[in-house]
């Protein structure tokens, strides 16, 4: 099982008018309840993380394992949605997700956890696997419940 995961608006919920706290490792502090909720999803489903966030280009996979672990989220596997490594090369989020689903989606149970409204433009068979978070709320209990329902097959 895979979690296609954004960071801002999912795990980082600082309002845009406030400066986000940056931890000693150089990355933003996660909302503690959102971190716990993500850890609970991973624990219940043994899911791995596919990073969709634009932040993915700034850190190596080894650094991502440490960043997540330091914030209370332990994943057995973390990958990036694609190998693009420059902001100039990144496509729009919905296009990147569509390309991933076209390549891997038929063989994977997955959920998309993201606040990016461009996902609304994707076909319904992808959108029904999307948990839309609210930027200043993030991965709350309701979103966690929906993600678990999708991954555990209760909404197919």
């Amino acid at each position: 099982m895979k979690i296609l995961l954004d960071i801002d608006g999912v795990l980082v919920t600082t309002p845009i008018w406030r400066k986000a706290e940056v931890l000693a490792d150089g990355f933003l502090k996660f909302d503690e309840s959102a971190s716990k909720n993500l850890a609970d999803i991973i624990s219940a489903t043994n899911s791995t993380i596919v990073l969709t966030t634009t932040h993915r280009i700034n850190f190596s996979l080894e650094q991502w394992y440490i960043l997540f672990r330091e914030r209370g989220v332990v994943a057995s596997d973390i990958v990036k949605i694609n190998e693009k490594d420059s902001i100039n090369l990144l496509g729009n989020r919905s296009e990147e997700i569509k390309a991933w689903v076209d390549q891997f989606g038929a063989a994977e149970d997955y959920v998309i956890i993201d606040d990016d409204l461009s996902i609304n433009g994707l076909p319904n068979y992808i959108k029904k696997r999307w948990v839309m978070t609210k930027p200043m709320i993030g991965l709350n209990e309701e979103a966690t419940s929906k993600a678990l329902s999708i991954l555990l097959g209760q909404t197919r």
Side-chain angles (χ1 to χ4, degrees):
M1 292 184 202
K2 306 286 185 195
I3 301 170
L4 281 69
L5 184 66
D6 183 26
I7 301 288
D8 294 331
V10 176
L11 298 172
V12 175
T13 57
T14 306
I16 58 173
W17 61 86
R18 281 196 3 225
K19 184 174 167 109
E21 184 178 348
V22 176
L23 300 183
D25 56 21
F27 196 70
L28 303 167
K29 180 181 178 186
F30 289 177
D31 177 274
E32 289 179 19
S33 64
S35 293
K36 180 194 173 306
N37 289 335
L38 179 60
D40 289 348
I41 293 169
I42 292 169
S43 176
T45 63
N46 199 31
S47 291
T48 60
I49 295 173
V50 177
L51 292 170
T52 60
T53 177
T54 55
H55 292 294
R56 70 184 184 269
I57 65 173
N58 299 321
F59 297 92
S60 69
L61 288 174
E62 294 78 22
Q63 291 170 307
W64 278 111
Y65 281 100
I66 294 167
L67 291 169
F68 276 102
R69 188 175 60 242
E70 292 296 317
R71 289 157 178 81
V73 178
V74 178
S76 63
D77 195 23
I78 301 172
V79 298
K80 298 177 182 183
I81 195 165
N82 55 41
E83 296 303 316
K84 295 178 181 174
D85 60 1
S86 165
I87 196 78
N88 298 334
L89 298 175
L90 297 183
N92 112 359
R93 179 79 44 83
S94 63
E95 291 170 1
E96 290 183 327
I97 290 171
K98 173 89 166 56
W100 184 91
V101 170
D102 288 348
Q103 185 173 2
F104 302 109
E108 293 286 350
D109 280 328
Y110 66 92
V111 66
I112 302 160
I113 305 176
D114 204 316
D115 67 331
D116 189 325
L117 296 178
S118 73
I119 296 169
N120 270 318
L122 290 172
N124 284 334
Y125 71 93
I126 298 174
K127 267 195 326 196
K128 73 178 185 176
R129 304 192 72 77
W130 175 35
V131 175
M132 182 179 71
T133 59
K134 295 177 183 160
M136 292 186 293
I137 296 173
L139 186 59
N140 63 4
E141 294 295 327
E142 180 182 345
T144 299
S145 178
K146 183 175 179 184
L148 285 168
S149 291
I150 291 168
L151 287 171
L152 297 174
Q154 298 161 358
T155 61
R156 289 190 182 183

